[in-house]
Amino acid sequence: MAKVKTDDTAAGGAAGATDAAQPEGSTLGYEQARDELIEVVRSLEAGGTTLEESLALWERGEELAKVCRRWLDGARARLDAALAEEAEAEDEAEAAVE
């Protein structure tokens, strides 16, 4: 019988650390959500669970996938902003030379 972890109050990463990339309303770090998602998938693939347990695992997997997606989207936004800043600084430097 598979056990579904439903406690999402544990924070990922360093205890008490705040991260600007952390999605709103999420207390799970990316790695923690990803690792739990892997376990959910393994449990579903292994079978041997009731329909109700399988549905609960699937729902948890969907929640975890959304957490991972928000983390990745936040990381992408930060990278895009940093690259845009760098490009702007280079443009300003080139304009100053001309």
Side-chain angles (χ1 to χ4, degrees):
M1 189 183 298
K3 183 176 182 184
V4 178
K5 182 178 178 183
T6 57
D7 179 18
D8 13 9
T9 59
T18 59
D19 188 348
Q22 185 171 2
E24 276 188 44
S26 172
T27 57
L28 287 176
Y30 171 77
E31 289 81 5
Q32 185 180 6
R34 181 202 59 211
D35 292 347
E36 188 179 340
L37 179 56
I38 289 168
E39 289 305 313
V40 166
V41 170
R42 283 184 183 146
S43 295
L44 286 169
E45 288 177 341
T49 58
T50 66
L51 177 59
E52 187 174 309
E53 290 168 337
S54 294
L55 285 172
L57 284 168
W58 179 79
E59 289 170 345
R60 180 63 179 156
E62 287 292 320
E63 292 171 13
L64 293 165
K66 287 177 187 176
V67 169
C68 289
R69 174 55 52 201
R70 285 191 299 264
W71 273 105
L72 293 172
D73 289 346
R76 170 53 61 193
R78 288 177 63 190
L79 285 172
D80 289 345
L83 291 172
E85 266 184 42
E86 184 178 310
E88 185 178 313
E90 287 176 6
D91 290 345
E92 288 174 5
E94 287 177 13
V97 172
E98 294 175 359

